[in-house]
Amino acid sequence: MTDHKPLLDPALLGTEVVEPASTAGSGPLLEAVDIRKRYGRNEVLRGVSFGVERGDVKAVLGPSGSGKSTMLRCLALLEPIDGGEVRLEGRTVGVRGSGRPARLPERELAHQRRDIGMVFQKFNLFPHLTALGNVMLGLTEVRGRSKEDAAQIAGDMLERVGLGARTRFYPSELSGGQQQRVAIARALVMNPKVMLFDEPTSALDPELVGEVLAVMEELAREGMTMVVVTHEIGFAKRVASRVIMMDEGEIVEDGTPTEFFGSPRHERTRRFLEAVH
Amino acid sequence: MNFDGAVFWQALTSDTFRQGAITAIALTVVAQLTAVVIGLVLAVMRGSGNRVLRGISWTYVWIFRAIPTLVQLLFVWNALPQLFPALREDWFSSFLAAWLALSINEGAYMAEIVRSGLLAIDEGQQLAARALGMTPWSVFRRVVIPQVVRVIIPPTANEFITMLKITSLASAISLQELLTYTQQSISITFRFAEYYAAAAIYYLVIVSVFMAFQAWLERRFLWSSQRGGERRLVTALRGMGAR
């Protein structure tokens, strides 16, 4: 559906893609350093550390309740963390000061979130806007594009995810797979440096999973840096460059797909893989 | 039966009745719109993380829902000028007093309606908007408010209609609205049935127009690509009969 036009087209997304040579290529693009998060007395993340290299696709597996979604929300700066840091291109984000850093005010967090794209399990499309309106909103409200510009860019992007004929439809008039593709387009037009996917196919009917995974695979092929929380073992095997296993708020395994699925080192990974196969 | 059709018709078409109806409509619209704004502010305060703001909002709703509307109306008209001499001037008209009293009172009810609208919105909406990098104000204006409006249209339309009828209380502070004219006419002619019937017809017509407006508004917030030609008020009016 998207083989003729790339999803990541600098001409479409504007000129902000140019990176200064000093920051590009040195160290991970996105890094979690000993992230801790608790809800009341419940410790959801107990020191999570990992890095995502530029162009990497990191698949995150693990049983439900293991903290995968929470971790993603922390990386997206949507949840304050209780310890550790999130680094984007080597810079600590979400907080101000060192020693005992304070969380940035929401306005400044908003500014930093522009570089991080997020796709949710339940799509979270805006029901009062058409598919086009959904994809346009970030462009007009955050990127300061004119309505005409935004409509042009959003329309092109929707075409690239195979929804060129659905731009005038409202979310309630789209299938789950179509809604999720709109959601991906909505995040992509913001030209993020990294895309975070929170179980993007878990809420879909089985026959609709394929169309969403196809867009994600295409995105990976074009070199987008991605962190994908998923239950799709097949996708992790095919597309991921690294696979992480989370359990009880910790990362218990981190390896290439071959290592991870071929010879998992940790007992909990083995048991999890047996359970989902 | 003692019903003088000529008197009824004369009342129905009289300038004084039309004048009274216009006053009632004007008061309804300005008071209700002011109340919507008050309700919105109170509802946002109620949902804020600030304990003082939450307390103020709660107290407002508590006080102004508890005191009868008529008492509030009389208080603003009679007691406020006693407390504040500045209000003894001519500019403090009975219309202004009624506007103030009714919108303050109705604001308490609107606060609860808007609050229920805010609670009805999926938390994923704000999450998605924030993830896009939208500022809090932008999230509120572009994502939250449009969805709240849709939820609160039916209960707010109810309040609108109630407000129209409550404006008749303003006859107690001698505002020249519909009921005041009705009672003045009756006190001269002692024709109860004719004048009350004429007033009733006026209220019926005004409420019908409000309902048509509500139907039109609801269609605008249908969020469907199929509504195309049905957005016009005339069509909404026609559709009303079928509801």
Side-chain angles (χ1 to χ4, degrees):
Chain A
M1 78 185 72
T2 51
D3 25 42
H4 50 296
K5 273 185 177 175
L7 292 162
L8 304 174
D9 182 350
L12 171 67
L13 297 174
T15 50
E16 297 166 60
V17 253
V18 185
E19 296 290 336
S22 54
T23 55
S26 57
L29 177 72
L30 180 68
E31 202 178 358
V33 185
D34 197 32
I35 291 182
R36 290 168 189 280
K37 173 76 186 172
R38 53 168 71 239
Y39 292 113
R41 302 179 65 184
N42 184 18
E43 200 167 17
V44 190
L45 299 176
R46 312 161 181 243
V48 172
S49 299
F50 68 94
V52 193
E53 304 294 326
R54 201 173 296 271
D56 249 8
V57 176
K58 204 122 188 164
V60 184
L61 304 183
S64 54
S66 58
K68 308 184 298 286
S69 294
T70 305
M71 182 198 67
L72 223 50
R73 285 182 185 199
C74 291
L75 290 179
L77 308 179
L78 292 169
E79 294 261 8
I81 53 178
D82 300 316
E85 22 184 282
V86 178
R87 290 188 193 143
L88 188 64
E89 296 183 313
R91 282 196 319 264
T92 302
V93 288
V95 290
R96 176 163 40 205
S98 48
R100 283 198 53 170
R103 184 169 159 87
L104 285 173
E106 183 68 19
R107 274 190 68 86
E108 289 173 49
L109 286 172
H111 192 80
Q112 295 186 341
R113 287 188 195 113
R114 315 199 300 183
D115 292 331
I116 304 168
M118 178 102 181
V119 173
F120 299 88
Q121 180 177 359
K122 288 177 182 154
F123 329 134
N124 298 357
L125 290 185
F126 307 126
H128 59 297
L129 299 175
T130 61
L132 192 73
N134 266 275
V135 183
M136 281 172 64
L137 191 64
L139 290 169
T140 52
E141 289 293 302
V142 180
R143 292 287 187 208
R145 297 279 196 159
S146 70
K147 276 235 158 95
E148 295 72 35
D149 262 13
Q152 181 72 41
I153 298 169
D156 273 357
M157 187 55 85
L158 282 169
E159 201 166 306
R160 282 157 209 239
V161 297
L163 293 171
R166 291 272 184 277
T167 55
R168 297 281 160 208
F169 284 67
Y170 283 79
S172 61
E173 300 166 321
L174 299 171
S175 74
Q178 290 170 338
Q179 288 189 56
Q180 194 60 299
R181 282 186 282 153
V182 174
I184 293 173
R186 177 175 71 178
L188 272 185
V189 283
M190 299 303 288
N191 195 14
K193 295 183 167 129
V194 57
M195 286 278 284
L196 310 177
F197 293 85
D198 186 7
E199 302 197 24
T201 57
S202 296
L204 296 176
D205 291 337
E207 74 270 21
L208 302 176
V209 169
E211 61 190 67
V212 172
L213 290 182
V215 172
M216 291 170 62
E217 281 195 56
E218 168 67 20
L219 205 52
R221 246 197 317 277
E222 291 177 21
M224 174 54 86
T225 312
M226 297 158 65
V227 180
V228 185
V229 170
T230 185
H231 292 298
E232 296 286 332
I233 303 289
F235 176 83
K237 279 183 178 166
R238 250 189 350 265
V239 183
S241 39
R242 304 283 296 187
V243 185
I244 288 177
M245 161 82 188
M246 271 189 83
D247 194 19
E248 293 178 352
E250 292 170 327
I251 291 179
V252 294
E253 186 117 15
D254 184 348
T256 66
T258 323
E259 294 165 356
F260 189 96
F261 296 107
S263 50
R265 273 173 293 188
H266 205 286
E267 174 60 26
R268 279 192 275 183
T269 315
R270 275 196 288 272
R271 261 184 288 146
F272 175 75
L273 288 175
E274 274 163 30
V276 293
H277 265 258
Chain B
M1 197 170 75
N2 184 3
F3 188 89
D4 191 334
V7 172
F8 168 71
W9 185 250
Q10 186 268 324
L12 203 60
T13 55
S14 68
D15 278 349
T16 45
F17 263 59
R18 188 144 25 89
Q19 208 54 54
I22 288 170
T23 303
I25 293 170
L27 181 57
T28 303
V29 171
V30 295
Q32 187 65 41
L33 289 182
T34 311
V36 168
V37 174
I38 293 173
L40 183 64
V41 172
L42 288 172
V44 170
M45 282 167 66
R46 185 77 187 274
S48 91
N50 186 319
R51 192 177 295 191
V52 176
L53 292 180
R54 279 205 309 271
I56 292 172
S57 173
W58 185 90
T59 310
Y60 183 104
V61 173
W62 171 58
I63 290 177
F64 292 106
R65 270 203 312 192
I67 302 171
T69 313
L70 185 57
V71 175
Q72 292 182 38
L73 203 58
L74 292 170
F75 189 92
V76 168
W77 180 237
N78 295 321
L80 280 190
Q82 176 199 326
L83 299 172
F84 306 102
L87 299 179
R88 289 177 204 156
E89 309 289 332
D90 274 352
W91 62 266
F92 193 64
S93 63
S94 53
F95 186 89
L96 213 56
W99 178 0
L100 191 63
L102 294 182
S103 51
I104 287 175
N105 174 246
E106 174 63 18
Y109 292 95
M110 281 311 300
E112 290 296 282
I113 290 174
V114 176
R115 191 164 75 93
S116 73
L118 287 169
L119 291 175
I121 297 172
D122 189 271
E123 59 158 359
Q125 290 295 308
Q126 294 206 41
L127 214 53
R130 288 166 65 216
L132 280 177
M134 288 168 70
T135 58
W137 171 241
S138 192
V139 173
F140 185 68
R141 198 162 67 109
R142 297 289 181 198
V143 174
V144 175
I145 286 298
Q147 298 188 49
V148 168
V149 168
R150 172 163 130 137
V151 178
I152 69 170
I153 287 174
T156 304
N158 245 344
E159 294 299 301
F160 228 98
I161 291 168
T162 307
M163 177 65 84
L164 173 72
K165 292 181 285 188
I166 286 180
T167 58
S168 60
L169 287 181
S171 60
I173 62 168
S174 64
L175 177 69
Q176 301 294 305
E177 50 71 61
L178 204 47
L179 188 63
T180 317
Y181 283 128
T182 310
Q183 285 171 332
Q184 284 169 355
S185 307
I186 290 171
S187 67
I188 298 165
T189 62
F190 293 100
R191 307 296 308 189
F192 293 96
E194 292 82 351
Y195 284 104
Y196 285 142
I201 295 285
Y202 265 102
Y203 283 117
L204 252 173
V205 170
I206 297 168
V207 168
S208 302
V209 172
F210 282 173
M211 284 170 69
F213 182 68
Q214 177 190 358
W216 173 76
L217 211 57
E218 281 181 17
R219 255 165 232 252
R220 270 205 54 151
F221 280 83
L222 216 48
W223 304 341
S224 154
S225 57
Q226 308 305 313
R227 69 185 169 189
E230 296 189 77
R231 292 176 80 159
R232 283 169 40 232
L233 193 56
V234 189
T235 326
L237 265 164
R238 227 178 279 138
M240 222 176 55
R243 270 151 59 94

